[in-house]
Amino acid sequence: MSAKIISGTEIAKQIREELKAEVAEIKEKHGVVPGLVTILVGENPASVSYVTAKQRTAHDLGFHSIQDNQPDDIKEGELLDLIEKYNNDESIHGILVQLPLPRHINESKVLYAISPDKDVDGFHPVNVGKMVIGERCFLPCTPHGILEMLVRSGVETSGAEVVVVGRSNIVGKPIANLMLQKREGGNATVTVCHTRTRDIAFHTRRADILIVAAGRPKVITADMVKEGVVVIDVGVNRIGKTPEGKAILCGDVDFDAIKEKASAITPVPGGVGPMTITMLMKNTVQAAKQLAGIA
Ligand code: GUN
């Protein structure tokens, strides 16, 4: 049997419709227009394409949006000053610095400089700490998007064996944490596998829900999953270019083989990617409401 395809594109579209209505309402009732700045340092092609997609979505939703491009050789102090400028700008509610940053810049220092109230990426330690103890905060966009996909697709997470492959700060650690919280989309029993795990397949074969953010193309093969598993593929690997110069993408799982065994699976592209961007928009609306005192 072929798996149900969990379309991030479709779910994201639905959430964007909801957000569009919310943006129109807060604008009309309170005169508040959500403001988002995305700061891009250098010209990494993947980062350029992510930031462009974020800006396009913000614009479509009626946000006040600024794309702030900075040269590769910007000094750390200059970047920190720029963030401080946006921290103090009342028309801006969300600040995103696209990662990775050039090596001469201390990433933690930059992320810590963003006001936690405008940290729509959910990377500031104040928000990370609140997430861990289950307090209201900005949730990191990719894990937040995964939760929404599972909940809106009717996947039962309570009591489920969830296996996460990857332990990054952006995906692996936060999704593992969120799925064990006492909340909708949580209450799971969570195992995290990483590069030092002795036998990854032993764990992945036990998974009712398998979340893969390994950053390597097709590392999860069909023999590593059980019948009926729900697979969330976070990988975005550029494996070539079309004759027109467009990137050819594939995920971290062997989609074609695994879809014959899984009960549900996310595609790449069109799975987690559109959800990540949409949750950034949701966080920005939340930030605007909180900063305006209408949340
Ligand atoms: N680089 C890869 N993913 C992300 C993300 O979610 N936010 C930011 N700021 N940079 C990223």
Side-chain angles (χ1 to χ4, degrees):
M1 203 190 73
S2 205
K4 169 184 159 187
I5 306 298
I6 302 178
S7 168
T9 307
E10 283 305 311
I11 299 171
K13 203 167 136 195
Q14 195 185 335
I15 299 172
R16 286 177 200 181
E17 289 303 319
E18 294 164 13
L19 284 175
K20 217 169 186 166
E22 197 175 354
V23 170
E25 189 188 325
I26 61 172
K27 188 172 178 183
E28 192 187 313
K29 278 197 187 154
H30 304 280
V32 174
V33 177
L36 173 69
V37 59
T38 50
I39 301 173
L40 175 65
V41 178
E43 292 173 0
N44 174 317
S47 294
V48 170
S49 108
Y50 292 141
V51 163
T52 306
K54 288 168 186 176
Q55 275 300 322
R56 194 185 320 118
T57 311
H59 180 78
D60 288 350
L61 290 178
F63 287 14
H64 161 55
S65 60
I66 298 175
Q67 173 56 44
D68 193 327
N69 292 324
Q70 294 294 330
D72 211 15
D73 60 357
I74 186 175
K75 292 200 175 65
E76 186 180 274
E78 290 170 332
L79 185 56
L80 295 174
D81 288 347
L82 188 66
I83 291 169
E84 193 50 23
K85 182 186 92 169
Y86 289 120
N87 279 340
N88 294 319
D89 182 339
E90 287 188 0
S91 74
I92 293 297
H93 308 101
I95 302 170
L96 178 141
V97 179
Q98 187 66 29
L99 304 177
L101 289 169
R103 285 237 295 279
H104 68 279
I105 295 177
N106 181 330
E107 206 161 275
S108 300
K109 227 173 171 176
V110 169
L111 295 179
Y112 292 14
I114 297 170
S115 161
D117 295 334
K118 298 190 177 187
D119 170 38
V120 286
D121 248 336
F123 292 163
H124 191 285
V126 166
N127 284 311
V128 176
K130 285 183 174 177
M131 176 192 71
V132 171
I133 57 176
E135 266 187 38
R136 192 165 89 137
C137 61
F138 295 115
L139 296 179
C141 303
T142 300
H144 196 182
I146 294 171
L147 280 194
E148 282 286 334
M149 284 176 111
L150 291 171
V151 170
R152 290 184 187 235
S153 306
V155 175
E156 180 60 85
T157 59
S158 182
E161 291 289 337
V162 170
V163 176
V164 177
V165 181
R167 57 174 160 182
S168 68
N169 288 337
I170 295 184
V171 186
K173 282 184 208 162
I175 191 62
N177 192 275
L178 287 168
M179 296 212 65
L180 59 81
Q181 302 274 344
K182 249 186 209 175
R183 54 168 283 168
E184 195 181 26
N187 290 309
T189 303
V190 183
T191 303
V192 182
C193 298
H194 46 79
T195 44
R196 300 294 171 94
T197 298
R198 270 203 300 266
D199 184 355
I200 289 186
F202 167 80
H203 297 284
T204 56
R205 280 191 202 110
R206 288 191 310 106
D208 300 316
I209 301 170
L210 179 62
I211 300 172
V212 188
R216 275 190 291 146
K218 300 188 188 180
V219 282
I220 304 297
T221 47
D223 59 309
M224 295 171 74
V225 303
K226 73 174 178 189
E227 287 284 340
V229 64
V230 173
V231 179
I232 306 291
D233 188 351
V234 187
V236 182
N237 303 291
R238 282 149 207 270
I239 53 167
K241 278 190 176 171
T242 64
E244 300 80 42
K246 247 187 105 184
I248 301 172
L249 304 179
C250 90
D252 289 353
V253 314
D254 184 353
F255 179 86
D256 289 334
I258 290 180
K259 80 175 193 310
E260 300 306 322
K261 250 177 133 175
S263 60
I265 187 166
T266 60
V268 177
V272 175
M275 291 300 293
T276 296
I277 296 174
T278 300
M279 300 326 281
L280 174 70
M281 303 303 139
K282 198 170 167 80
N283 281 352
T284 306
V285 173
Q286 183 189 329
K289 286 166 69 180
Q290 283 171 198
L291 286 163
I294 54 172

